[in-house]
Amino acid sequence: MSRRISQGILVVGSIGVLINIADAIESGHLEPHHAVPAVIALGAGGELLKERRPRAARALYAVMSVLLVVAGSVAGARAWASLFKGADYSWLDLGLGVLVVLYVAVSTGRLLAHLSHRASKSRRTAGMLSE
């Protein structure tokens, strides 16, 4: 992604965070989908820092992942519970819950593939050293 696009996304996400803070102060409570602009801003910040400060970028990605999983789990659980009870539910919260399930599945698959690749590489290196 180009640097200019990442900067634009960071600005838009930051404005969304400010709007959601004002909305939370006015309404008196936070909704799980209020975390979406923060997730977007953290992802753009991580993208901007990826080349110059990789450790800081990984930290932002980690915070983004935790925030996405927690907010999506809360939103999804409430929406699915309301759906099964036959009560009113938010399509946004339901979609966020589905997104989190997909995100966790893909992240778990990537982690397992990475660990498998590392173990395979380690075995090859150990084999070369023993010869």
Side-chain angles (χ1 to χ4, degrees):
M1 184 180 315
S2 80
R3 189 159 183 78
R4 184 152 329 268
I5 291 173
S6 295
Q7 289 171 340
I9 292 171
L10 179 62
V11 168
V12 170
S14 299
I15 291 169
V17 168
L18 293 174
I19 290 170
N20 284 337
I21 288 171
D23 183 42
I25 290 170
E26 180 184 324
S27 68
H29 64 282
L30 272 173
E31 291 293 326
H33 58 266
H34 285 158
V36 173
V39 168
I40 291 169
L42 288 167
E47 187 68 27
L48 288 170
L49 291 174
K50 187 167 42 175
E51 291 180 13
R52 294 183 187 186
R53 309 264 315 200
R55 290 181 71 196
R58 282 193 302 270
L60 286 178
Y61 287 139
V63 171
M64 178 195 73
S65 297
V66 169
L67 183 61
L68 177 66
V69 169
V70 169
S73 298
V74 169
R78 287 196 304 184
W80 282 104
S82 295
L83 177 69
F84 290 130
K85 288 180 190 174
D88 291 335
Y89 59 92
S90 169
W91 280 99
L92 180 63
D93 289 345
L94 194 63
L96 190 57
V98 170
L99 175 70
V100 165
V101 169
L102 293 174
Y103 179 77
V104 168
V106 169
S107 296
T108 303
R110 285 187 65 195
L111 178 64
L112 291 174
H114 176 72
L115 293 175
S116 172
H117 176 70
R118 240 174 113 181
S120 172
K121 188 176 176 182
S122 176
R123 281 192 300 268
R124 279 189 305 230
T125 304
M128 290 176 71
L129 291 175
S130 66
E131 290 177 356

